[in-house]
């Protein structure tokens, strides 16, 4: 996700990046996307038939 | 309008203790579940599977290895259409140990040689040849092997100490002669849409992915940590939710999906798989009082006093302890008055 999109999403929800679920930089999927710490990854989830967007904040440890 | 209202109402209210509700929603039906693992007689390769409460506990405790791992291996298109080709792949994966295809072994200590007499019946059933077994055995043990008369295998141990010869014999019977370590017995199964795939009673997706014909993006295993290592945290979360759901469904228990999703989300929120309980989620509580209220009261209080820890009183436990309103529901809102407005009203 681009950084402007991230700040728009966060302010619409009234939260900060520290509130988001995390993903490690060493995670296989984060590596595949070449994500850096501080990035936010948008995930399209299919959960029990419902689809929605989920976010994970990339952290070092 | 009604649709919009319904949608709004069914979404959760701010301050709702969703965690407690999820815990109760799962805990109550849990009392009705089968307490013991029992073995079912079935035709599939996965006939023996941990189910019921033991499996739920295993998942929530985030055990490193499930007690009955399985894999569902999907194949590339050209392999998935014919049974023969799928079976070929399954034979490459299926783990067979020396012990299950041999009848007995004879050691010659003076010559430093071991003769392994194969069980031709089980060899045929597993579709193995003495030559392939000998080759694999040699590779696994790092010794010289050859096929002798009557299709038996001769190991040249290159040592004459009886102890070493015996050590090799013992190792040989436990050695893998076909397939992938940990993969278990693999069998071809057909899906409803006619696609052939492989089910196996073990888990080693890292190695199975390398096998030709396997579609590496579509391997499923109930081993959470293997999924986490190979596919990452999101996949592990989905596996966790799916496994919880399936285990409950097998017991004819219906729990709303959102509770299961919440648990799976909570367990994977920090980017790793955390267990629920003292060592995982609950153990990460920041409040001194909350920790002291749970276990080892004195230890926690003394430590907190010695290191000058601060309790921010943000959690539920610590607020109950001191008799304050808990920060949930009504307590999650704070009320303040705007001075100017208040004065206006007075007038």
């Amino acid at each position: 996700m681009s950084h402007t999109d991230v700040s728009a999403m966060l302010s619409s929800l009234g939260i900060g990046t520290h509130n988001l679920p995390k993903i490690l930089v060493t995670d296989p999927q984060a590596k595949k996307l070449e994500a850096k710490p501080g990035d936010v990854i948008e995930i399209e989830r299919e959960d029990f038939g419902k689809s929605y967007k989920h976010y994970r904040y990339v952290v070092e440890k | 309008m009604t649709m919009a209202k319904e949608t709004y109402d069914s979404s959760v209210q701010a301050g709702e203790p969703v965690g407690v509700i999820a815990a109760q929603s799962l805990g109550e039906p849990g009392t009705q579940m089968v307490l013991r693992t029992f073995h079912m007689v079935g035709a599939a390769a996965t006939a023996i599977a941990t189910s019921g409460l033991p499996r739920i506990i295993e998942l929530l405790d985030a055990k490193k290895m499930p007690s009955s791992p399985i894999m569902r291996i999907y194949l590339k298109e050209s392999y998935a259409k014919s049974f023969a080709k799928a079976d070929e792949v399954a034979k490459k994966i299926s783990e067979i140990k020396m012990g299950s295809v041999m009848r007995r072994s004879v050691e010659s200590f003076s010559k430093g040689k071991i003769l392994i007499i194969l069980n031709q019946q089980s060899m045929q059933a597993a579709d193995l040849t003495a030559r392939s077994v000998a080759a694999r055995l040699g590779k696994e043990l790092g010794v010289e092997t050859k096929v002798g008369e009557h299709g038996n295998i001769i190991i040249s141990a290159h040592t004459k100490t009886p102890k070493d010869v015996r050590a090799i014999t013992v190792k040989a019977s436990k050695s893998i002669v076909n397939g992938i370590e940990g993969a278990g017995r693999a069998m071809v199964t057909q899906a409803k849409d006619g696609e052939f795939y492989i089910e196996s009673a073990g888990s080693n997706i890292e190695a199975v992915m390398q096998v030709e014909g396997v579609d590496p993006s579509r391997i499923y295993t109930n081993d959470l940590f293997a999924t986490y290592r190979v596919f990452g945290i999101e996949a592990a979360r989905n596996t966790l939710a799916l496994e919880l759901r399936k285990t409950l469904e097998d017991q004819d228990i219906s729990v709303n999906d959102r509770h299961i999703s919440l648990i799976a989300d909570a367990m994977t929120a920090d980017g790793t798989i955390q267990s629920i309980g003292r060592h995982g989620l609950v153990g990460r509580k920041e409040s001194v009082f909350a920790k002291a209220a749970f276990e080892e009261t004195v230890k926690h209080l003394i430590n907190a006093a010695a290191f000058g820890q601060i309790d921010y009183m943000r959690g539920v436990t610590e607020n109950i302890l001191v008799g304050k309103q808990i920060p949930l529901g009504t307590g999650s809102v704070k009320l303040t008055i705007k001075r100017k407005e208040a004065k206006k009203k007075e007038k």
Side-chain angles (χ1 to χ4, degrees):
Chain A
M1 255 183 117
S2 78
H3 284 270
T4 45
D5 286 352
V6 170
S7 48
M9 183 269 293
L10 290 175
S11 64
S12 78
L13 294 170
I15 54 170
T17 44
H18 64 278
N19 293 110
L20 292 174
K22 292 169 184 63
I23 186 166
L24 302 182
V25 230
T26 50
D27 193 275
Q29 299 302 329
K31 274 186 189 164
K32 197 177 162 193
L33 293 167
E34 294 175 4
K36 287 173 215 62
D39 288 354
V40 172
I41 296 176
E42 187 182 275
I43 299 151
E44 301 245 344
R45 248 190 207 170
E46 287 270 338
D47 210 6
F48 303 123
K50 282 165 269 177
S51 59
Y52 58 92
K53 274 177 186 152
H54 191 75
Y55 303 92
R56 274 184 193 274
Y57 180 57
V58 184
V59 290
E60 203 131 0
K61 184 78 220 339
Chain B
M1 196 56 216
T2 7
M3 258 325 275
K5 193 185 169 296
E6 287 290 331
T7 313
Y8 182 75
D9 285 351
S10 61
S11 71
V12 82
Q13 304 284 316
E16 190 94 355
V18 285
V20 175
I21 295 169
Q24 289 180 340
S25 306
L26 217 74
E28 194 278 331
T31 59
Q32 299 164 32
M33 275 197 294
V34 187
L35 293 174
R36 256 186 39 177
T37 325
F38 59 93
H39 305 301
M40 276 182 288
V41 183
T46 55
I48 306 158
T50 318
S51 63
L53 204 57
R55 178 67 182 141
I56 299 273
I57 293 169
E58 200 173 272
L59 287 166
L60 297 185
D61 282 349
K63 280 247 212 97
K64 279 271 141 52
M65 193 69 190
S67 53
S68 51
I70 59 142
M71 275 189 293
R72 258 203 311 281
I73 305 152
Y74 290 91
L75 305 168
K76 284 190 183 133
E77 236 187 310
S78 54
Y79 288 84
K81 287 205 178 110
S82 84
F83 178 83
K85 275 196 141 177
D87 200 42
E88 232 172 76
V89 181
K91 291 226 167 80
K92 269 190 228 163
I93 292 167
S94 197
E95 179 188 21
I96 295 165
K97 295 226 163 108
M98 188 73 246
S100 65
V101 288
M102 65 187 249
R103 185 159 279 149
R104 63 197 171 91
S105 56
V106 184
E107 294 151 310
S108 162
F109 293 120
S110 58
K111 286 183 199 152
K113 281 189 177 167
I114 304 154
L115 176 75
I116 292 177
I117 299 162
L118 296 167
N119 184 342
Q120 294 303 340
Q121 248 174 330
S122 45
M123 283 288 284
Q124 238 161 39
D127 206 9
L128 290 172
T129 59
R131 186 184 297 225
S132 75
V133 169
R136 182 69 188 263
L137 194 65
K139 223 164 69 181
E140 292 288 330
L141 297 172
V143 290
E144 218 175 283
T145 55
K146 65 175 187 209
V147 181
E149 49 190 301
H150 309 301
N152 295 324
I153 294 170
I154 299 160
I155 302 173
S156 312
H158 291 299
T159 170
K160 281 185 181 165
T161 30
K163 200 179 148 201
D164 293 347
V165 175
R166 176 56 59 85
I168 290 171
T169 316
V170 172
K171 249 202 241 164
S173 68
K174 286 180 191 159
S175 167
I176 297 168
V177 288
N178 179 61
I180 288 161
E181 193 175 0
R185 208 160 64 107
M187 279 175 119
V188 177
T189 319
Q190 192 169 23
K192 279 193 189 114
D193 64 356
E195 185 186 353
F196 289 102
Y197 65 96
I198 298 166
E199 269 191 1
S200 101
S203 170
N204 185 355
I205 54 175
E206 283 105 326
V208 168
M209 280 170 105
Q210 317 284 330
V211 176
E212 205 196 310
V214 171
D215 183 351
S217 62
R218 289 201 299 157
I219 297 181
Y220 178 81
T221 173
N222 64 355
D223 182 353
L224 279 187
F225 281 84
T227 311
Y228 174 56
R229 279 197 306 274
V230 179
F231 296 113
I233 191 70
E234 251 322 281
R237 191 220 86 109
N238 291 339
T239 306
L240 178 59
L242 214 72
E243 284 292 317
L244 279 171
R245 157 101 295 171
K246 211 187 79 209
T247 315
L248 291 167
E249 253 168 19
D250 285 348
Q251 303 275 318
D252 289 326
I253 289 164
S254 64
V255 173
N256 197 296
D257 296 335
R258 64 188 77 185
H259 301 309
I260 295 165
S261 297
L262 182 78
I263 292 168
D265 276 338
M267 285 177 70
T268 55
D270 78 337
T272 58
I273 305 169
Q274 268 192 307
S275 67
I276 289 182
R278 206 175 346 152
H279 304 290
L281 275 174
V282 183
R284 297 281 171 94
K285 273 188 181 174
E286 55 167 1
S287 165
V288 180
F289 283 135
K291 279 188 279 188
F294 183 54
E295 266 174 10
E296 299 172 301
T297 310
V298 181
K299 186 185 122 191
H300 284 302
L301 290 179
I302 288 176
N303 272 338
F307 294 105
Q309 282 177 24
I310 299 167
D311 199 315
Y312 294 97
M313 310 299 287
R314 287 202 206 110
V316 175
T317 320
E318 52 268 41
N319 279 301
I320 292 176
L321 199 87
V322 297
K324 262 174 60 183
Q325 195 170 36
I326 58 167
L328 283 174
T330 316
S332 62
V333 215
K334 277 194 188 108
L335 291 178
T336 47
I337 305 169
K338 277 187 185 163
R339 272 262 170 83
K340 279 182 193 166
E341 305 274 319
K343 271 179 188 163
K344 259 187 228 167
K345 286 268 164 69
E346 269 172 36
K347 282 170 192 169

